[in-house]
Amino acid sequence: MTNQNQNQKEENQNINSKDFLIGSLIGGIVGASLALIFAPKSGRELRSDLNQGAHYVKDRANEWKDVAYEKGSEWRDYAKEQSQQLGQTVSERSQDLTSKLKETKNTIQEKISKDEDPEKAAEEVAQAIEEAAKAVEEENDTNRS
């Protein structure tokens, strides 16, 4: 749960950062354009200033694109690493659970194969089943944590 909450917070921060960057870019373009339009300059000077402003905006957009690409690569690598760790944990837990169930099965078979009192054997089998159920519950509780 905490990883999910943390991932959600980080995702919200990324969305807020993205919105801020887009808003800043649009605001900068609009502000620069209005300043140039309402400034008393000749047509040649105005076109030169607009051209410089356009080049500046283009350069900044390229820088932001590079930053966004780097962040995307970092997040991709992080997600890949986390999924590998999760897969490994699930695999280990399932192997542990499988071995516990096999041990219980073997114990039950041993109890049944012995020529003991059937009532006593049934009690021991029931106890072994309860122990296996407890082990499965503990395993599930551990996996949830």
Side-chain angles (χ1 to χ4, degrees), residues 94-121:
S94 67
Q95 288 175 357
D96 291 342
L97 186 59
T98 302
S99 66
K100 286 181 182 179
L101 290 174
K102 284 181 182 179
E103 289 174 14
T104 304
K105 176 186 165 196
N106 291 336
T107 303
I108 291 170
Q109 287 178 345
E110 287 175 12
K111 300 291 182 188
I112 292 174
S113 67
K114 290 182 181 177
D115 290 332
E116 294 181 4
D117 181 26
E119 194 172 303
K120 184 179 177 184

Side-chain angles (χ1 to χ4, degrees), residues 51-62:
N51 194 20
Q52 286 177 345
H55 284 295
Y56 174 75
V57 169
K58 179 182 173 187
D59 292 341
R60 293 291 293 169
N62 283 331

Side-chain angles (χ1 to χ4, degrees), residues 40-99:
K41 294 184 178 182
S42 68
R44 181 175 290 161
E45 289 175 352
L46 181 61
R47 284 190 300 271
S48 174
D49 288 346
L50 285 173
N51 194 20
Q52 286 177 345
H55 284 295
Y56 174 75
V57 169
K58 179 182 173 187
D59 292 341
R60 293 291 293 169
N62 283 331
E63 290 173 15
W64 288 354
K65 175 194 66 128
D66 294 339
V67 169
Y69 182 77
E70 289 174 18
K71 290 290 184 183
S73 295
E74 289 174 12
W75 279 103
R76 183 193 68 225
D77 294 341
Y78 176 75
K80 187 176 181 180
E81 178 183 317
Q82 291 299 316
S83 67
Q84 287 175 348
Q85 288 178 355
L86 181 62
Q88 183 178 4
T89 302
V90 167
S91 176
E92 289 171 359
R93 301 292 176 156
S94 67
Q95 288 175 357
D96 291 342
L97 186 59
T98 302
S99 66

